[in-house]
Amino acid sequence: MIVVGLTGGIGSGKTTVLGMFEAKGITTYNADLEARKLMNTSAEIRTEIHTVFGSESYIGKELNRPYIASIVFADKEKLAALNAITHPRLHAHFKDFVKAATGAYIVYEAAILLESEGHKLCDYIITVTAATEKKINRIQLRDGMTVAEITARMNNQMSDTLRIAKSDFVIQNHTVLATQEQVNTLDVLLLDLSIAK
Ligand code: ATP
């Protein structure tokens, strides 16, 4: 089994592409979703987050996401502390998931794959890209954020140039049809690579 990381900037279409692999019967793992779940279910994570962020960080057993987000967005050291608590647990969870999985390859989607050491769990990396104005339009439609808010998030992320330099494959997410064709081509290639491994 080979592990294929899937990353890209905000609104590039990572989750859309992950869904295309899933529809082909490929095992998929959405790291952002699994991290959200773990922060609510892991007692270890809850205890450590309480220690660093105080009693307001959970409401009952649910992470107080707006509270935590407001702190880490303004404080890089607090963001690093949060990542130090969550990333190793998420990576352990993913490794267990891989052990239990079947199939030729697994696709692991993570927005910060290349920033979080997550790429070290992967045999190959795919970056999803789209034109900036397309990404902005799509996020506006999806989340109702302002252009200024979207641009601020984009400027806070790794550039596509660097992401692509660190990747093995690029999917250009323009039309859904063209993206589906790229996924089909990559699927054939990844099946071959998994056999060769
Ligand atoms: P984020 O980083 O914000 O979670 P993402 O990279 O996972 O985003 P998606 O959620 O897959 O991106 O896509 C962003 C939005 O754009 C979604 O509403 C999705 O339906 C839409 N979208 C994705 N690809 C296309 C496409 N090729 N044509 C039109 N709309 C698209």
Side-chain angles (χ1 to χ4, degrees):
M1 152 110 39
I2 58 175
V3 176
V4 183
L6 180 68
T7 193
I10 175 172
S12 56
K14 298 175 292 295
T15 306
T16 302
V17 168
L18 193 75
M20 290 179 180
F21 280 106
E22 197 169 14
K24 297 176 88 65
I26 304 302
T27 305
T28 60
Y29 185 96
N30 180 327
D32 299 344
L33 209 66
E34 296 300 333
R36 280 178 186 234
K37 281 193 216 159
L38 269 185
M39 284 193 265
N40 288 337
T41 55
S42 160
E44 271 186 328
I45 291 182
R46 191 179 313 126
T47 306
E48 291 188 21
I49 289 183
H50 256 146
T51 308
V52 176
F53 295 93
S55 57
E56 269 184 78
S57 50
Y58 278 83
I59 299 169
K61 288 194 167 182
E62 287 259 317
L63 186 72
N64 184 350
R65 296 186 66 82
Y67 171 76
I68 299 287
S70 69
I71 296 175
V72 299
F73 198 72
D75 184 340
K76 281 207 155 49
E77 276 180 28
K78 282 277 167 35
L79 175 62
L82 179 67
N83 290 342
I85 295 168
T86 54
H87 290 169
R89 265 64 175 245
L90 181 71
H91 293 167
H93 182 264
F94 178 65
K95 281 183 188 164
D96 287 343
F97 182 86
V98 172
K99 268 186 212 149
T102 53
Y105 69 95
I106 180 165
V107 184
Y108 174 87
E109 177 201 345
I112 53 162
L113 184 76
L114 301 165
E115 298 89 332
S116 68
E117 310 281 295
H119 63 290
K120 292 186 179 163
L121 305 170
C122 302
D123 298 289
Y124 300 97
I125 312 271
I126 303 171
T127 282
V128 184
T129 65
T132 304
E133 59 271 26
K134 277 202 171 145
K135 289 194 274 197
I136 291 174
N137 284 342
R138 289 171 184 169
I139 300 164
Q140 271 187 308
L141 274 177
R142 191 189 62 186
D143 299 338
M145 288 165 71
T146 65
V147 175
E149 285 167 334
I150 299 166
T151 313
R153 293 250 186 125
M154 284 178 161
N155 291 341
N156 214 22
Q157 294 189 329
M158 182 183 281
S159 71
D160 262 359
T161 310
L162 189 53
R163 250 191 228 106
I164 291 168
K166 290 172 180 277
S167 300
D168 302 285
F169 308 106
V170 177
I171 292 179
Q172 293 185 335
N173 180 23
H174 300 317
T175 66
V176 170
L177 197 65
T179 300
Q180 181 67 60
E181 279 168 11
Q182 292 168 80
V183 168
N184 294 347
T185 305
L186 267 177
D187 175 53
V188 174
L189 190 61
L190 290 167
L191 285 174
D192 276 352
L193 288 169
S194 74
I195 293 164
K197 197 183 173 188

